[in-house]
Amino acid sequence: MGFFSEFKDFAMKGNLVDIAVGFVMGAAFNKLVASFTGGIVSPLIGLLFDSDFKDLRMKLKDGTANEAGEMVGEVWLEYGTFLTNVIDFIIVAFVMFLIVKGVNKMKKPEPPAAPAGPSDNDLLKEILEALKK
């Protein structure tokens, strides 16, 4: 039973639970950002290219038609999908920056250091002056 109780203690530590909650929230936030980028940002940028932004691609190699009439062997460079993911990343990184900045502002500032007393040299000077008197 020692092994299982040790595992339970490990699993119920605050940091591990916080990380699990963070992952769940991160996954939900990722869906939110992906829908924002795919539904709002991509169509607006797509207006510049007169096409859906995610569908932007360049054919690198032509394919051949098979017996069913489908093209096989085509190679595409899908840069629209990559650019959409880059935009997603930038949005997530910016929001995370704002969250960390807000959390850091909410932390209590460290109290100022106590004023330092006289240094050893100052004390020796005081003793020397006292002895001279």
Side-chain angles (χ1 to χ4, degrees), residues 17 37 48 50 56 62 74 77 79 81 89 97 112 114 118 124 129:
V17 173
T37 306
L48 298 174
D50 292 328
L56 294 177
D62 289 328
E74 288 183 326
L77 180 66
Y79 60 92
T81 304
F89 173 77
F97 167 74
L124 289 173
E129 288 176 12

Side-chain angles (χ1 to χ4, degrees), residues 83-103:
L83 292 175
T84 301
N85 290 330
V86 168
I87 293 169
D88 287 349
F89 173 77
I90 290 170
I91 292 170
V92 170
F94 180 70
V95 169
M96 293 308 299
F97 167 74
L98 293 177
I99 289 171
V100 169
K101 188 172 181 168
V103 167

Side-chain angles (χ1 to χ4, degrees), residues 20-37:
V21 169
F23 277 129
V24 170
M25 290 179 66
F29 183 68
N30 188 32
K31 282 185 175 184
L32 178 73
V33 170
S35 67
F36 172 73
T37 306

Side-chain angles (χ1 to χ4, degrees), residues 9 16 19 24 33 43 67-68 76 78 86 94 121-122 130 132:
D9 291 342
L16 189 61
I19 290 171
V24 170
V33 170
E67 292 120 17
W76 292 90
E78 297 185 354
V86 168
F94 180 70
N121 287 339
D122 293 336
K132 285 183 181 179

Side-chain angles (χ1 to χ4, degrees), residues 3-75:
F3 176 78
F4 290 112
S5 65
E6 185 179 341
F7 177 74
K8 183 181 110 181
D9 291 342
F10 168 75
M12 291 298 136
K13 281 187 180 177
N15 291 342
L16 189 61
V17 173
D18 291 344
I19 290 171
V21 169
F23 277 129
V24 170
M25 290 179 66
F29 183 68
N30 188 32
K31 282 185 175 184
L32 178 73
V33 170
S35 67
F36 172 73
T37 306
I40 297 173
V41 175
S42 291
L44 293 176
I45 295 175
L47 288 174
L48 298 174
F49 298 101
D50 292 328
S51 69
D52 186 8
F53 189 61
K54 281 188 171 184
D55 291 337
L56 294 177
R57 59 188 188 164
M58 180 174 60
K59 188 185 289 189
L60 298 176
K61 178 182 169 192
D62 289 328
T64 58
N66 64 8
E67 292 120 17
E70 300 170 342
M71 293 298 288
V72 292
E74 288 183 326
V75 179

